Amino acid sequence: MNSGVEEAKLGLKRTVGKFALLFASIYLMAIIALFITLHQGDEVPVTTWLLMIPPGVAFAPAVLDAINLHRAQEPDRLRRLWKRCGILAVTGMVLLVVASYVVGEIN
């Protein structure tokens, strides 16, 4: 009975990593949209590029933690990784939303 509970906990911890990868892919789509806008000949202000840096700084370690979270088996390492991964993913998403809002207000 205990192994079923442990498997469920492990699944939930790894789900945090999957959400981190999902949020990072949303960030990548926003970056790709900026490049497409630039390629079409429209001007992208420097402030827009600068505002997109902080979410990337949060998402990079979150993605690395998500990958390590899916590889790890030790309970102590899993406990550290899923908390850090979740905090970084949520922080990156909040920064991305704030950056998008500020860019919308600037333009």
Side-chain angles (χ1 to χ4, degrees):
M1 185 74 165
N2 192 18
S3 67
V5 172
E6 294 300 320
E7 281 294 319
K9 286 181 182 179
L10 179 63
L12 286 174
K13 289 177 182 178
R14 289 187 174 161
T15 302
V16 171
K18 291 174 186 173
F19 274 105
L21 294 173
L22 173 70
F23 293 160
S25 66
I26 293 170
Y27 170 73
L28 283 176
M29 284 189 274
I31 295 294
I32 290 170
L34 287 176
F35 279 112
I36 290 172
T37 301
L38 193 64
H39 180 70
Q40 290 176 344
D42 293 337
E43 200 174 292
V44 179
V46 175
T47 55
T48 301
W49 292 106
L50 293 176
L51 285 172
M52 295 306 282
I53 292 173
V57 170
F59 281 129
V63 168
L64 292 176
D65 285 347
I67 292 168
N68 289 330
L69 187 62
H70 282 81
R71 290 183 177 175
Q73 295 295 326
E74 303 87 28
D76 291 335
R77 188 164 186 227
L78 283 169
R79 185 173 51 248
R80 286 189 315 255
L81 282 174
W82 83 269
K83 288 178 184 177
R84 181 176 172 208
C85 181
I87 289 170
L88 287 170
V90 169
T91 302
M93 198 62 191
V94 167
L95 288 171
L96 181 61
V97 168
V98 168
S100 299
Y101 178 75
V102 170
V103 166
E105 290 296 317
I106 290 173
N107 295 333

